[in-house]
Amino acid sequence: MSSKISALANVILFLSGMRNWLLTILLLHGITQTVFSQKPVYTNFEKFDSEDGLPQNHINSIAQDKDGFMWFATPSGLARFDGKDFIQFGAEKQKPYQLSSSNIRDILIDEENRLWIVHINDKVDIMDPQTFSVSLDVAPTDTVSKS
């Protein structure tokens, strides 16, 4: 009888040890599933196209000025987005929305918050994004101070 109790005790101890291992494995599995199944931080985005106010659906360049406005360069013009509405700029627009060309290759924001607009024909315009005043077809050397 004591050998049966001893064998039963050994089985209980074995199962108790297995239970601890099983709990440990389940706990680790739960932790790894929680850590590795997090949602990406940026899951909420909105798609905009020409129906929303972009000059064209193809975007060549994007920049954000110091005031937070987003600027989009397209082959059909430039657009400023304030989070709600687009304003379009291009060669066919009336002042102050007029540019040297509507086919824009690149845009950059400099340290003075000016928007440099590089056209496909290598012309360069410089815009003040607050007043929309544009210096048309500037030579980059005209704006760089010589030391």
Side-chain angles (χ1 to χ4, degrees):
M1 183 80 155
S2 70
S3 65
K4 286 185 178 182
I5 292 176
S6 175
L8 184 59
N10 285 337
V11 168
I12 291 173
L13 285 175
F14 175 76
L15 291 176
S16 174
M18 288 299 292
R19 188 187 82 195
N20 289 341
W21 275 105
L22 183 61
L23 287 175
T24 302
I25 289 171
L26 289 175
L27 179 65
L28 288 174
H29 177 73
I31 290 172
T32 57
Q33 288 301 312
T34 303
V35 170
F36 293 115
S37 67
Q38 295 294 318
K39 291 182 180 179
V41 176
Y42 301 105
T43 58
N44 187 14
F45 66 92
E46 209 167 328
K47 177 184 170 271
F48 296 100
D49 57 26
S50 59
E51 292 179 11
D52 299 304
L54 280 170
Q56 188 183 96
N57 292 335
H58 180 82
I59 306 293
N60 289 334
S61 183
I62 301 172
Q64 183 175 18
D65 66 24
K66 292 180 182 177
D67 297 318
F69 295 110
M70 297 298 297
W71 294 86
F72 299 92
T74 75
S76 299
L78 177 70
R80 185 192 83 166
F81 185 61
D82 63 5
K84 183 178 178 188
D85 297 311
F86 287 93
I87 297 176
Q88 291 187 20
F89 303 83
E92 70 287 346
K93 303 288 185 185
Q94 297 297 316
K95 286 189 177 184
Y97 307 108
Q98 190 173 33
L99 301 174
S100 295
S101 166
S102 291
N103 196 344
I104 302 169
R105 181 176 62 213
D106 201 5
I107 51 176
L108 305 160
I109 305 288
D110 67 14
E111 292 176 356
E112 297 174 23
N113 202 36
R114 296 180 299 179
L115 183 67
W116 289 68
I117 305 161
V118 182
H119 301 276
I120 201 75
N121 60 5
D122 292 328
K123 290 185 178 186
V124 176
D125 297 341
I126 300 175
M127 176 191 285
D128 180 338
Q130 293 180 335
T131 64
F132 301 147
S133 63
V134 179
S135 300
L136 298 173
D137 196 18
V138 298
T141 54
D142 293 344
T143 60
V144 178
S145 62
K146 297 181 180 176
S147 318

